[in-house]
Amino acid sequence: MQSQARVVIIGGGIMGASLLYHLAQEGWTDCLLLEKDELTSGSTWHAAGQCPNITGSFNLAKMHAYSNWLYPQLEGLTGQYVSWHKSGGIRLANNERELAWLKYVQGFSKVVGFNMELIDPAKIREINPFATTEGVLAGAWTTDDGHADPSGICNALAIGAKQMGARIVRQNRVTGLTQLPSGEWDVETEQGSIRAGIVVNAAGCYARQVAQMAGIDIPVTNMEHHYLVTDPIPAFQDRSDEMPVMRDSWMSGYMRQEQKSGLIGVYENTALAEAWAPRGGHPEWHSTSELFPDDLDRISKWLERAIERIPVFGEVGIRRVVNGAIPHTPDGGPLLGPAAGLTNFWHCCGTSFGIAQGGGAGKYLAQWMIHGDAEINMVEFDPRRYGSYADEQYSREMVFLDYRMTFTTRLPGEEEPDGRPKKTSGLYDKLQAKGAVYAPTYGWERPKWFSLDGRDEQGGYHRTNVFEVVAAECQAVAGGVGVLDLSGFAKYEVTGPDAESYLNRLCANRMPIKQGGIGLVHILSHSGRIQGEMTVTRLADDQFYCLSAAAAEQRDWDWLIQHQLPGEQVSLSNVTMDRGVLVMNGPRSRDVLGAVTDADLSNEAFRWLSGQEIVIAGRPVRALRVSYAGELGWELHPLMGDLAAIYDAIWSAGEAHGIVDYGLYAANAMRMEKGYKAWGSELTNELTMIEADLPRFINFKKDDFTGKQATLDAAVRFRIVYGEVDAADVDPRGTEACMLGESCIGLVTSGGFGHRTGKSLFFACVPEAQAEPGSRFDIVLQGERRAATVLAEPAYDPSNAKQKA
């Protein structure tokens, strides 16, 4: 066996084989896949092999679509039979919320490029004469859906990878991992040691064991999942057309034709079972091709409903029952990307729909590994979206929720209590008692809005019952003063003689020159794509205070740590848990803050975009004069233990000025009015700074910074634009299609209603030809086209006069 390889992939299921194939396709052929038994012998071999296009995530849909494009070609490329069936699929909508979700998905289907049509019950029965449609409002017909033999696909990818020069060793169990000072890894196996430049964990159900060999853990919980195959169905025998794959929330699963038999898969939402539960959910590292005893009583309710939906399934007996393990993550998305806190160690695991996602996961992860970026936004798949809070108990609670909600439509705004709270600030109980409605971000509980009359949020894609509440919060901020707990901000201190040059090398903008100065800076990859955004305050000649998004904490921390050069005199500290953040905005902010501090808050003494340490209620506070809301305001950063006392002092002083609490919904609405772009939506690894329309935050006069030359050389493919849409509100999450005539030209990245301006606002990614102010196109919102216009400046206070007041 070879003794070294550029990349060693551990795990020979669909994920590992796909990554090996795509690495080789990109030119990295010195790659070795290690499988402890035979290919597919984890969870791939017993998968049902469905390949749907419909999923609630835009970027995940791109993965699905690529898989469905690739798999039909594999047999011709490799000679391996994959049994691809382009059967099409129909997802049923049994209520209005499901129909609204399907309309949302249909919007971004135009951007992704898969065929999707909403059809009525009569059309459903025409396409599938075996289906009943009682209680069905509509269906989503996706003609590009299919299913295939999972083992055939996996082996075809493996054969293709070997044909391009990659290698595979079966029957060779990994027994240990050790990282060397060089950054390389020694991979210990039953057949000897291999020196690897990069190790990839593609171990599926066994991914936690491999992660633990590397000294880390990941939030993966394995669940039992049943499907069964019927005896041959007489009605299928002489029929050349294949029944489309049916997906139905009423029976909580899927139904399709399997040769001349029927196949029923169930995601039961009661009496769930964790795989290997007697062992605490931990499989034996030596186990292989393992199934569990069937438990048809557990899924009998759903089987009965499946037979009611497709009555011919009930005319025959059961030929085979499969009950196997499927890995799940807390949010249901795969783990694709660098491991937290390690170098040269990547994850390619954690997918509960591995066949559907495997092709795309391998492609886009290979791009990231080789080029430093992928074609699609990888943030939602990055393993570092979880921190240490995502322990085994959290993972189990959230995975059980994800499994039982597989066929349950959750509308925007709906939250579940499972696995919460994990991280709270010193204001959590106080604000909850005042009506704060919380949502989690990277484990942090953050207030979305305040229910002052006890109402519960009714989620939806249109204006909901909290629209007027958010409007009142925004108006109160604009007319007086409001406060928001944003303690979840990631916070770092960078100190030392080389701190300034270090940050200047990492960021596109120049660090603030004056003490107390604040700058907005962006971290770029070597190819010039946006990796992160930070607000940096210069506290002293050799001390900088850096803030970034809560969800980016581990990702940005890894970047800071891993890009420090040998000998560079820089000290890095993650102080996220040490300091709270209380945001105060509104024209009365200076009056309120002035009542609780002796500091001079005048424009001359405390200028806009500067920071100082002041004293409030006898406690030191880092005060930053910045405002995401576009009003006069400060961010107050006390020690976490002092946060409650600071809040109480400010609230007491603010009562005379009508002070209010406000939440993230109002913050987003005001962000949109100011035209402030957000990390993860407008600022992603898909875009350069020029494409994100942020040239003013690049200082090309600096000697060098990471991504400088690539930024200068890169062609501009599209632009982020800011605009207004007529007569409807854009979903804050974006992903709606932008249409020019019958052509889809781009997508919305985020949006919201501006309550101070009365405008529905959006950001979108479109070609340069449509990026000029005044350009018009349509945005598809819940199946209807709405006219959109690109604006030349922010809708609210474009001169920033209010912030400078």
Side-chain angles (χ1 to χ4, degrees):
M1 185 182 69
Q2 68 188 86
S3 61
Q4 61 183 24
R6 186 175 200 166
V7 178
V8 169
I9 299 169
I10 303 173
I14 186 70
M15 300 291 278
S18 178
L19 178 60
L20 186 71
Y21 177 90
H22 288 93
L23 287 172
Q25 191 177 57
E26 289 273 358
W28 278 23
T29 56
D30 183 17
C31 298
L32 172 66
L33 185 149
L34 298 175
E35 166 53 46
K36 64 188 178 69
D37 192 71
E38 294 295 336
L39 297 181
T40 82
S41 61
S43 59
T44 298
W45 74 275
H46 64 67
Q50 265 80 247
C51 295
N53 277 286
I54 291 179
T55 179
S57 158
F58 170 71
N59 290 296
L60 207 53
K62 286 187 173 182
M63 287 190 184
H64 284 230
Y66 174 76
S67 295
N68 290 352
W69 173 84
L70 173 66
Y71 295 162
Q73 302 181 62
L74 285 177
E75 186 171 342
L77 292 170
T78 68
Q80 169 66 45
Y81 181 62
V82 301
S83 188
W84 175 257
H85 293 252
K86 189 179 178 181
S87 59
I90 300 177
R91 174 73 180 248
L92 301 181
N94 296 305
N95 51 54
E96 291 291 345
R97 64 193 288 128
E98 292 179 357
L99 182 56
W101 179 73
L102 289 175
K103 288 180 179 179
Y104 170 73
V105 175
Q106 186 184 34
F108 67 67
S109 73
K110 302 177 188 301
V111 186
V112 176
F114 63 88
N115 295 316
M116 177 175 172
E117 179 183 352
L118 293 179
I119 56 177
D120 61 22
K123 184 68 173 180
I124 293 171
R125 294 192 299 272
E126 178 185 332
I127 297 168
N128 183 3
F130 304 105
T132 63
T133 54
E134 183 177 355
V136 174
L137 296 183
W141 183 26
T142 43
T143 58
D144 298 328
D145 286 14
H147 60 90
D149 170 31
S151 294
I153 292 173
C154 186
N155 279 286
L157 290 165
I159 291 169
K162 289 193 294 182
Q163 289 172 344
M164 290 182 280
R167 283 153 290 179
I168 296 174
V169 176
R170 299 173 173 83
Q171 299 289 337
N172 188 19
R173 196 181 317 273
V174 172
T175 58
L177 295 168
T178 303
Q179 190 166 30
L180 305 176
S182 65
E184 297 171 300
W185 290 84
D186 273 347
V187 183
E188 300 295 333
T189 79
E190 293 173 331
Q191 298 178 21
S193 180
I194 305 164
R195 182 68 51 84
I198 297 172
V199 171
V200 182
N201 175 10
C205 292
Y206 309 94
R208 283 193 69 196
Q209 281 96 321
V210 172
Q212 289 163 359
M213 289 180 192
I216 59 174
D217 204 353
I218 52 175
V220 171
T221 298
N222 296 304
M223 299 297 292
E224 290 186 11
H225 173 63
H226 282 87
Y227 69 85
L228 60 85
V229 180
T230 72
D231 288 328
I233 295 173
F236 290 170
Q237 298 309 304
D238 298 324
R239 195 168 186 268
S240 58
D241 292 339
E242 182 174 339
M243 186 186 94
V245 180
M246 306 294 291
R247 295 175 177 83
D248 183 8
S249 64
W250 184 64
M251 58 79 52
S252 196
Y254 51 87
M255 301 155 287
R256 69 168 174 84
Q257 188 172 329
E258 172 70 3
Q259 297 179 349
K260 297 300 182 180
S261 299
L263 186 149
I264 304 170
V266 172
Y267 284 87
E268 66 276 19
N269 53 33
T270 56
L272 282 62
E274 183 178 359
W276 296 287
R279 291 180 40 79
H282 305 291
E284 297 276 7
W285 182 225
H286 63 261
S287 71
T288 182
S289 299
E290 193 168 355
L291 292 177
F292 307 105
D294 62 71
D295 186 356
L296 296 184
D297 288 342
R298 193 168 86 224
I299 62 171
S300 60
K301 171 184 175 181
W302 316 110
L303 292 178
E304 291 169 3
R305 290 186 173 185
I307 292 170
E308 289 182 49
R309 186 65 79 200
I310 310 289
V312 295
F313 283 6
E315 297 175 0
V316 295
I318 297 173
R319 185 176 68 187
R320 179 164 56 102
V321 178
V322 175
N323 183 22
I326 299 180
H328 287 251
T329 61
D331 62 7
L335 302 178
L336 303 172
L342 296 178
T343 56
N344 302 322
F345 192 98
W346 295 66
H347 293 300
C348 182
C349 55
T351 174
S352 52
F353 297 96
I355 309 306
Q357 297 167 6
K363 173 184 178 178
Y364 297 119
L365 183 59
Q367 290 177 350
W368 192 357
M369 291 174 64
I370 294 171
H371 304 294
D373 296 295
E375 293 174 17
I376 69 172
N377 185 352
M378 298 293 282
V379 166
E380 67 183 276
F381 313 123
D382 192 327
R384 296 167 298 181
R385 68 187 186 270
Y386 298 110
S388 59
Y389 68 90
D391 55 20
E392 189 168 354
Q393 178 183 352
Y394 171 87
S395 177
R396 183 172 287 112
E397 287 186 36
M398 296 302 292
V399 164
F400 270 61
L401 171 67
D402 179 68
Y403 185 94
R404 71 174 183 262
M405 299 287 281
T406 298
F407 279 90
T408 300
T409 299
R410 277 181 282 187
L411 297 177
E414 294 182 337
E415 309 288 345
E416 304 292 337
D418 303 69
R420 300 169 57 194
K422 292 300 290 185
K423 292 193 288 187
T424 60
S425 80
L427 296 180
Y428 178 74
D429 292 332
K430 184 186 296 286
L431 297 183
Q432 191 172 50
K434 296 177 73 175
V437 179
Y438 283 97
T441 299
Y442 196 65
W444 284 99
E445 295 292 331
R446 306 199 300 176
K448 297 191 298 180
W449 62 286
F450 283 78
S451 180
L452 303 182
D453 57 5
R455 77 179 69 184
D456 294 323
E457 183 174 2
Q458 298 169 2
Y461 295 96
H462 298 289
R463 295 179 184 179
T464 70
N465 65 324
V466 304
F467 181 83
E468 61 191 41
V469 179
V470 176
E473 290 179 5
C474 292
Q475 295 298 345
V477 170
V481 60
V483 288
L484 168 63
D485 178 13
L486 281 182
S487 297
F489 270 145
K491 314 171 195 78
Y492 320 102
E493 290 192 359
V494 182
T495 60
D498 295 330
E500 181 177 10
S501 60
Y502 160 79
L503 288 170
N504 272 328
R505 177 170 55 78
L506 261 60
C507 303
N509 206 353
R510 183 178 293 281
M511 291 305 108
I513 297 175
K514 295 181 180 179
Q515 183 168 325
I518 296 175
L520 185 66
V521 304
H522 298 85
I523 298 170
L524 309 184
S525 69
H526 289 283
S527 57
R529 306 282 188 90
I530 299 171
Q531 299 297 305
E533 179 183 61
M534 297 193 300
T535 301
V536 178
T537 304
R538 186 172 199 141
L539 300 179
D541 287 346
D542 61 353
Q543 183 181 12
F544 296 85
Y545 183 49
C546 306
L547 306 170
S548 67
E553 180 185 338
Q554 185 63 55
R555 180 186 174 106
D556 289 347
W557 179 242
D558 280 352
W559 193 275
L560 292 172
I561 290 288
Q562 294 171 10
H563 286 79
Q564 186 175 351
L565 298 177
E568 212 162 21
Q569 297 182 66
V570 176
S571 177
L572 303 171
S573 301
N574 186 338
V575 296
T576 300
M577 300 300 293
D578 298 343
R579 291 187 177 272
V581 179
L582 187 65
V583 176
M584 180 169 57
N585 284 299
R588 312 313 301 178
S589 295
R590 183 179 280 118
D591 299 326
V592 175
L593 190 56
V596 296
T597 183
D598 293 331
D600 186 347
L601 304 177
S602 66
N603 273 344
E604 294 74 23
F606 205 140
R607 67 187 187 278
W608 181 48
L609 297 181
S610 70
Q612 301 178 21
E613 185 155 300
I614 65 175
V615 176
I616 299 176
R619 293 164 172 84
V621 176
R622 285 179 182 170
L624 312 182
R625 192 175 164 191
V626 293
S627 172
Y628 207 47
E631 303 285 352
L632 175 67
W634 279 263
E635 285 183 10
L636 305 175
H637 295 242
L639 294 175
M640 190 69 81
D642 294 337
L643 183 62
I646 300 297
Y647 175 88
D648 289 342
I650 287 173
W651 189 267
S652 178
E655 287 184 306
H657 301 282
I659 192 170
V660 300
D661 295 298
Y662 71 98
L664 292 173
Y665 285 171
N668 182 68
M670 292 186 282
R671 168 186 84 91
M672 291 303 306
E673 289 178 305
K674 285 298 297 176
Y676 292 151
K677 301 175 179 72
W679 177 81
S681 52
E682 287 74 51
L683 311 179
T684 77
N685 61 269
E686 303 156 287
L687 300 169
T688 67
M689 292 286 284
I690 304 301
E691 290 168 338
D693 195 29
L694 293 174
R696 65 190 182 281
F697 296 107
I698 310 173
N699 191 317
F700 285 116
K701 295 179 181 179
K702 292 195 298 180
D703 289 340
D704 198 14
F705 59 83
T706 303
K708 177 181 178 179
Q709 193 60 48
T711 302
L712 288 168
D713 295 342
V716 177
R717 301 159 297 165
F718 27 66
R719 297 269 188 179
I720 295 292
V721 297
Y722 173 70
E724 178 183 359
V725 62
D726 293 346
D729 299 341
V730 173
D731 190 311
R733 302 171 302 172
T735 73
E736 293 90 348
C738 299
M739 305 292 294
L740 189 63
E742 296 306 310
S743 299
C744 179
I745 61 168
L747 81 158
V748 173
T749 56
S750 67
F753 185 81
H755 295 281
R756 295 173 297 188
T757 59
K759 296 178 181 292
S760 290
L761 301 164
F762 69 89
F763 284 108
C765 186
V766 298
E768 275 208 276
Q770 280 72 49
E772 291 299 318
S775 295
R776 294 180 64 84
F777 47 83
D778 290 342
I779 295 175
V780 180
L781 299 173
Q782 283 293 291
E784 298 185 12
R785 293 174 66 141
R786 304 288 187 174
T789 304
V790 176
L791 300 179
E793 59 185 14
Y796 185 74
D797 187 26
S799 66
N800 295 321
K802 293 181 180 294
Q803 296 182 78
K804 300 174 184 177

